């Protein structure tokens, strides 16, 4: 343990299962990594597994600006200043630019103190700023969307974060044990049943289920299972890229995915043309919805989404063919469209897509349970490493997973 010698300091408090979860160690490591120092003023350890612990830690730094940065950093772990003070706001100097000392947000539930009142931040999101409106509403705003003169919260004063509820060691619920590690060796049938039950619970509370999907949904032959889930009401919104929609439509129009016959598993003559011909067909119709309405598109996941009246957001990339007319090619506009669909999302499930999973995880509040399913363990690991600490992973073939989930939620 170090002993502080600098003059700028603040005391932070942490409450929870500090030792079991390693939160205290991570806070102290971050203080040192950012060039600060610390002294543990008090540590009250819970005696039983269900008992929470509490720590008071004095954090110090050589400069007030550095102290503010450290205090912002440790808030990722739920460490809040004992004396938070009140928030300071400064006007954004120009469109797309925050003040230099802006508060950089986490995806945790956040409150801002203005005068004497604590105001809860709307739709918490990591790596944004906090803007206060005239109606005393505080919202997260990405740097691309801030406008000159917006009142931006600056420094760490007057800001508090709340960690999601923590289960004591040994007392995790059935769903919670999935988060212990990313593994392919857990009983998948049990995990699928738990996910199905959580989705039923979310729907029963009036919340929405968000899906993020990659083209392997089609390549593995799992599109019919996904269609059943849409029709059963368990896909309320879909985020994807050009590829999932294109290969799903190719499958419906030609019976192939990337030119491979899904019934036989082998290539077909001229099959390499099918995906671009599918794109051209939809472009001629004007949109996916128009193709459904005119009878051009009669099956598949995208057809089911249109028929069910469920929204989807397709965001493109530099490698896209076409793309389909529904694909948003400006990624900033794509982010905005995705954010617009997040209210009332109570559960997110991400299947077979690394980039879209990470992108969605970056804009989701930490309070939204998140399951990532992929054959590649690195996909789930990267999602958690980029700030989505609530991500729980299942390493398995996406085709088998979707078939099992459809049997639980939408039996034929």
């Amino acid at each position: 343990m170090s002993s502080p010698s600098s003059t700028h300091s603040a005391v932070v408090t942490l409450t929870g299962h500090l030792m079991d979860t390693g939160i205290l160690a991570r806070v102290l490591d971050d203080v040192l990594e950012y060039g600060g120092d610390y002294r543990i003023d008090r540590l009250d350890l819970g005696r039983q597994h269900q008992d929470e612990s509490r720590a008071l830690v004095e954090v110090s730094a050589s400069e007030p600006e550095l102290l503010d940065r450290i205090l912002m950093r440790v808030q990722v772990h739920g460490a809040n200043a004992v004396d938070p003070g009140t928030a300071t706001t400064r006007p954004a100097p120009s469109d797309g630019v925050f003040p230099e000392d802006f508060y950089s947000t986490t995806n945790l539930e956040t409150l801002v103190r203005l005068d004497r009142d604590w105001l809860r931040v709307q739709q918490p999101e990591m790596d944004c700023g906090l803007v206060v409106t005239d109606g005393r509403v505080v919202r997260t705003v990405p740097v691309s969307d801030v406008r000159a003169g917006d009142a931006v919260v600056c420094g760490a004063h007057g800001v508090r974060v709340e960690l999601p509820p923590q289960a004591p060691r040994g007392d995790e619920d059935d769903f919670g044990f999935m988060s212990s590690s990313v593994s392919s060796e857990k009983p998948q049938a049990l995990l699928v049943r738990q996910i199905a039950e959580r989705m039923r619970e979310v729907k029963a509370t009036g919340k929405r289920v968000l899906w993020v999907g990659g083209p392997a949904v089609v390549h593995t032959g799992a599109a019919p299972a996904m269609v059943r889930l849409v029709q059963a009401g368990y896909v309320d919104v879909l985020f994807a890229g050009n590829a999932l929609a294109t290969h799903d439509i190719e499958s419906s129009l030609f019976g192939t995915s990337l030119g491979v016959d899904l019934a036989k598993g082998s290539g077909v003559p001229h099959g390499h043309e099918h995906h671009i011909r599918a794109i051209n067909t939809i472009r001629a119709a004007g949109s996916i919805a128009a193709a459904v309405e005119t009878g051009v598109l009669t099956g598949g996941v995208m057809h089911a989404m249109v028929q069910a009246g469920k929204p989807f957001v397709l965001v493109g990339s530099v490698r896209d063919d076409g793309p389909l007319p529904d694909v948003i090619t400006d990624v900033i506009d794509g982010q905005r469209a995705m954010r617009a669909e997040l209210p009332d999302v109570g559960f997110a499930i991400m299947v077979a897509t690394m980039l879209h999973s990470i992108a969605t995880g970056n804009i989701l509040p930490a309070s939204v349970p998140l399951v990532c399913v992929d054959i590649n363990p690195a996909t789930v690991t990267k999602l958690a490493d980029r700030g989505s600490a609530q991500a729980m992973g299942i390493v398995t073939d996406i085709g088998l997973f979707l078939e099992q989930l459809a049997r639980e939620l939408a039996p034929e």
Side-chain angles (χ1 to χ4, degrees):
M1 181 177 69
S2 305
S3 100
S5 58
S6 33
T7 55
H8 304 282
S9 64
V11 177
V12 299
T13 179
L14 298 95
T15 302
H17 300 284
L18 305 182
M19 309 307 288
D20 292 347
T21 60
I23 287 176
L24 179 58
R26 290 198 292 271
V27 167
L28 303 184
D29 286 346
D30 282 351
V31 171
L32 296 180
E33 183 180 342
Y34 271 61
D37 212 338
Y38 69 84
R39 183 180 68 232
I40 297 178
D41 286 347
R42 183 173 177 177
L43 179 57
D44 298 324
L45 295 177
R47 298 177 63 86
Q48 304 296 326
H49 287 323
Q50 67 270 20
D51 295 337
E52 292 188 333
S53 302
R54 183 170 186 263
L56 293 175
V57 181
E58 183 182 1
V59 179
S60 57
S62 57
E63 301 291 338
E65 294 81 7
L66 178 58
L67 178 63
D68 270 356
R69 286 192 62 210
I70 295 172
L71 293 178
M72 282 189 248
R73 172 60 192 173
V74 298
Q75 279 192 324
V76 172
H77 309 300
N80 292 295
V82 172
D83 182 13
T86 57
T88 299
T89 64
R90 289 190 241 285
S94 58
D95 290 354
V97 179
F98 289 137
E100 187 173 347
D101 60 342
F102 74 97
Y103 178 86
S104 179
T105 60
T106 72
N107 59 357
L108 300 170
E109 293 294 321
T110 304
L111 296 99
V112 174
R113 189 179 189 181
L114 298 175
D115 299 325
R116 296 182 178 180
D117 299 326
W118 285 99
L119 304 178
R120 190 167 294 275
V121 173
Q122 296 184 347
Q123 202 66 32
E125 179 182 335
M126 68 177 78
D127 301 327
C128 290
L130 295 174
V131 169
V132 182
T133 66
D134 292 338
R136 294 175 62 81
V137 172
V138 186
R139 55 191 176 90
T140 53
V141 174
V143 66
S144 56
D145 287 357
V146 73
R147 293 294 173 259
D150 283 352
V152 180
V153 174
C154 295
H157 298 290
V159 181
R160 189 176 79 218
V161 302
E162 297 176 348
L163 286 176
Q166 300 168 316
R169 185 181 63 187
D171 288 350
E172 297 91 346
D173 61 21
D174 290 339
F175 195 70
F177 85 89
M178 289 169 35
S179 61
S180 60
S181 65
V182 178
S183 173
S184 59
E185 298 179 352
K186 293 176 180 177
Q188 182 172 316
L190 175 61
L191 298 182
V192 170
R193 285 197 297 273
Q194 291 166 355
I195 292 171
E197 184 57 33
R198 181 59 62 93
M199 292 171 75
R200 291 188 189 99
E201 292 171 358
V202 167
K203 295 292 292 181
T205 63
K207 295 287 188 177
R208 301 196 299 164
V209 177
L210 164 66
W211 285 73
V212 185
V217 170
V218 182
H219 302 334
T220 59
M226 185 82 175
V227 168
R228 283 158 53 200
L229 290 167
V230 174
Q231 293 171 340
Y234 288 100
V235 184
D236 292 301
V237 58
L238 172 65
F239 291 171
N242 186 61
L244 170 60
T246 292
H247 298 304
D248 172 68
I249 292 167
E250 176 194 344
S251 171
S252 177
L253 295 179
F254 301 105
T256 60
S257 178
L258 275 178
V260 174
D261 189 317
L262 290 172
K264 299 178 180 178
S266 58
V268 301
H270 307 291
H272 65 283
E273 302 174 2
H274 286 178
H275 77 284
I276 195 66
R277 293 191 180 281
I279 290 170
N280 191 60
T281 299
I282 303 303
R283 290 176 73 91
S287 68
I288 296 173
V292 172
E293 291 165 5
T294 57
V296 172
L297 182 62
T298 59
V301 175
M302 303 312 298
H303 173 271
M305 292 294 291
V306 172
Q307 290 286 79
K310 299 297 184 181
F312 53 84
V313 179
L314 307 178
V315 183
S317 70
V318 70
R319 65 187 180 186
D320 287 343
D321 293 318
L324 291 165
D326 302 81
V327 171
I328 301 170
T329 55
D330 184 311
V331 293
I332 300 301
D333 287 342
Q335 290 176 3
R336 291 171 181 145
M338 291 164 69
R339 289 187 180 100
E341 294 295 342
L342 295 185
D344 297 325
V345 166
F347 187 84
I349 181 164
M350 303 175 176
V351 291
T353 171
M354 181 181 292
L355 295 181
H356 274 80
S357 293
I358 293 172
T360 305
N362 285 350
I363 63 175
L364 277 174
S367 57
V368 176
L370 189 165
V371 173
C372 184
V373 186
D374 204 286
I375 197 67
N376 183 2
T379 299
V380 190
T381 302
K382 286 184 179 182
L383 183 63
D385 286 348
R386 282 159 174 76
S388 299
Q390 80 273 33
M392 295 170 279
I394 301 177
V395 179
T396 189
D397 176 79
I398 191 60
L400 297 176
F401 172 81
L402 283 175
E403 287 289 350
Q404 288 179 303
L405 187 61
R407 281 198 296 269
E408 288 288 335
L409 292 171
E412 292 181 297

